[in-house]
Amino acid sequence: MQPVISIRDVLLCHDKGFRLSIDNLDLLQGQIYALTGPNGSGKSTLLRIMALLSLPQKGKVTFAGGIMDLTEQRKRVTLVEQSPYLFQGTVSENLQYGLKLRGVEKEEQSRRIKLMLSIVGLEGFERRMAKELSGGEIQRVALARALVFKPDLLLLDEPTANIDSNSLQAFEALLSKLTRYGVTVVFSTHDLSQSDRLGAELLQIENGHLINRPNGAQDDNDANKWRNSHG
């Protein structure tokens, strides 16, 4: 089975002396991975490399299908930051912005927005103002905004760090549901128990090095539904 993303002999060095070195990492379709490690270990740096937002000095990051064009590759992956920023205006306007930039037709925009808000449990929130949302709702809107691009790989940097305990269980249930559609999810966390609750494979990083390798199998029962739902 061809991995969604493969990392080979990647090296990235920061000016402050930090060095991220990943020899070999493959992530499979429809899996969820928990990226763990102490502060400063390289979790956010690795996520940005996977998102093709930070380019390594050495090595290669490749996606399934052998697409080499960087712009096209970036369309396959979306990163949601720890404290996502929402634009002023409505929830719908936040989700529309990127779709407009990509030239998605208005009718298709509305269809995707409605579908993604339903998936994240925010049906009927299209006209809600962003400034009125709770922390948990902001995370869900940011997730829906990422999903409208139908990414193969969804990256989340500490997605539950800023939401209250009442929202935590629902958000974790949402993350586990995404893999049914063939989306590969990688989220960073300091809470090791989250990987158990979500059935996630652990990616442990220390001092810029992975200290384990994932070994999961793919289950793509609903992957075709996910693709078909996006037209």
Side-chain angles (χ1 to χ4, degrees), residues 59-147:
K60 186 182 296 185
V61 178
T62 57
F63 284 82
I67 297 173
M68 300 303 295
D69 181 76
L70 188 60
T71 300
E72 290 301 314
Q73 284 186 328
R74 282 175 171 154
K75 292 179 180 179
R76 309 279 295 276
V77 56
T78 302
L79 171 64
V80 179
E81 303 282 2
Q82 179 177 340
S83 299
Y85 173 78
L86 298 186
F87 307 123
Q88 291 184 354
T90 66
V91 168
S92 182
E93 287 169 343
N94 270 272
L95 272 64
Q96 283 175 341
Y97 180 75
L99 294 174
K100 287 180 180 179
L101 291 180
R102 294 193 183 188
V104 177
E105 294 182 357
K106 192 168 184 179
E107 183 176 339
E108 175 64 9
Q109 290 177 26
S110 298
R111 189 180 72 84
R112 288 197 198 181
I113 289 169
K114 184 176 181 179
L115 174 64
M116 291 307 121
L117 288 178
S118 175
I119 287 176
V120 302
L122 293 179
E123 299 92 337
F125 269 59
E126 286 90 342
R127 295 189 179 183
R128 285 281 296 273
M129 301 301 293
K131 64 182 180 181
E132 299 172 351
L133 301 176
S134 68
E137 289 168 346
I138 288 172
Q139 282 288 1
R140 286 171 177 258
V141 171
L143 186 56
R145 186 171 61 184
L147 293 174

Side-chain angles (χ1 to χ4, degrees), residues 52-67:
L52 303 175
L53 298 176
S54 294
L55 301 180
Q57 285 98 358
K58 289 175 130 184
K60 186 182 296 185
V61 178
T62 57
F63 284 82
I67 297 173

